[in-house]
Amino acid sequence: EPEVTQTPSHQVTQMGQEVILRCVPISNHLYFYWYRQILGQKVEFLVSFYNNEISEKSEIFDDQFSVERPDGSNFTLKIRSTKLEDSAMYFCASSGWGNTEAFFGQGTRLTVV
Amino acid sequence: KNQVEQSPQSLIILEGKNCTLQCNYTVSPFSNLRWYKQDTGRGPVSLTIMTFSENTKSNGRYTATLDADTKQSSLHITASQLSDSASYICVVSEGGYNKLIFGAGTRLAVHP
C-alpha cells in the first residue's frame, strides 16, 4: 500500500542550526502539507503546497520556515535557525486530486538542544 | 476562532465493550470532518471522512456520526480490542486545501 515516508525519524540539532526534514509523498498526490505536534499538544497546521507554491500557511510558519519540492518525489521543510521551541514531531502529509483524504507519514521527531 | 473540542479527554474500557467519543467544532468554512487514530509517536491514520451531507459513516467496528446543524460528531467503537488503545482525534477540514484543524484527542485505553 502506498505510504508517505519521512526521514530522518529523529533529528537532534543545536539551537541556531539549520535543519531540513525530508518527505516522500505518495507518488500520484498533488497536495502536500506539513504539520507539527509539540509533545502533549494538538497537531497544528503549518503549510500546504500545491502546484509548486504555498497555497496556505499558518502563523507558526514564519520566515524561519521554508518548503521546497526540489524534484518530482521529495518535499522538504527547512528551519533556518532552530529555537528550543521548535522541538516537536513534524508530520508530512499528502492528498490526491480534490478534497480527498490526507495520508500522514510517521513523523520526524526534532529535538533542539 | 476555529476550534475542535473533544470529550472525554481519556477513557478506560474493558475489552469487548463499546464506547462513544464526542466532538464539537466551530470551524468555518466547513469542508469535511474526519476521525483519525494515532498511536503514540506515530502519524495519524484516517478512520472516516464525512462531508456536510453525510450523517453517518462506518469503517469496520468504527461508526462516525455528524450533525452539521449542531456541529457535533461522535465516534462509536464496538466490541473493543486491545489494539484499539490509542488517541482518537476529531479533525475538521477548513476550506478546500486540507487545512486540518485538530482536536486534542481522546486517549482510549482498552484493558483485558
Side-chain angles (χ1 to χ4, degrees):
Chain A
E1 185 174 323
E3 60 179 12
V4 176
T5 57
Q6 292 185 241
T7 55
S9 57
H10 191 185
Q11 173 104 36
V12 181
T13 188
Q14 287 197 323
M15 192 168 54
Q17 295 297 304
E18 174 184 286
V19 293
I20 297 176
L21 310 183
R22 303 181 190 280
C23 169
V24 179
I26 294 173
S27 62
N28 60 347
H29 281 185
L30 301 173
Y31 300 85
F32 314 109
Y33 316 88
W34 283 101
Y35 287 80
R36 79 171 186 189
Q37 186 175 28
I38 295 171
L39 187 64
Q41 298 186 20
K42 298 179 183 183
V43 176
E44 301 172 288
F45 170 80
L46 292 178
V47 66
S48 59
F49 190 86
Y50 170 71
N51 201 25
N52 286 320
E53 62 182 23
I54 291 174
S55 47
E56 192 159 5
K57 60 183 180 180
S58 71
E59 296 169 349
I60 304 167
F61 195 88
D62 61 22
D63 292 343
Q64 292 299 310
F65 291 87
S66 63
V67 289
E68 194 178 33
R69 189 157 162 79
D71 52 43
S73 60
N74 290 285
F75 180 51
T76 62
L77 174 69
K78 181 192 291 186
I79 309 175
R80 286 191 186 79
S81 178
T82 50
K83 303 187 284 286
L84 294 176
E85 53 265 38
D86 293 328
S87 295
M89 184 77 100
Y90 287 81
F91 293 107
C92 173
S94 69
S95 64
W97 179 254
N99 198 9
T100 59
E101 179 181 346
F103 291 82
F104 284 79
Q106 295 303 316
T108 291
R109 180 169 297 284
L110 176 65
T111 303
V112 183
V113 297
Chain B
K1 183 181 177 182
N2 288 333
Q3 284 188 320
V4 177
E5 303 291 337
Q6 292 186 244
S7 62
Q9 276 190 317
S10 61
L11 183 62
I12 300 173
I13 60 173
L14 293 177
E15 188 179 11
K17 299 296 186 183
N18 304 334
C19 66
T20 300
L21 314 180
Q22 303 292 341
C23 173
N24 299 307
Y25 63 92
T26 54
V27 177
S28 180
F30 174 90
S31 182
N32 56 64
L33 185 144
R34 309 142 188 245
W35 283 91
Y36 282 87
K37 178 184 179 184
Q38 185 179 26
D39 293 309
T40 302
R42 311 285 281 179
V45 176
S46 179
L47 297 175
T48 63
I49 177 171
M50 291 183 290
T51 60
F52 184 87
S53 59
E54 295 176 292
N55 301 120
T56 185
K57 183 161 282 189
S58 292
N59 176 4
R61 294 181 296 103
Y62 303 104
T63 299
T65 66
L66 174 63
D67 186 333
D69 291 331
T70 61
K71 295 183 170 54
Q72 295 180 324
S73 176
S74 67
L75 179 70
H76 187 73
I77 305 174
T78 58
S80 60
Q81 301 174 357
L82 297 179
S83 59
D84 292 335
S85 296
S87 285
Y88 290 84
I89 308 176
C90 177
V91 183
V92 178
S93 178
E94 176 194 325
Y97 281 106
N98 254 323
K99 181 181 177 182
L100 304 179
I101 311 297
F102 280 70
T106 292
R107 183 170 296 279
L108 175 67
V110 181
H111 288 182

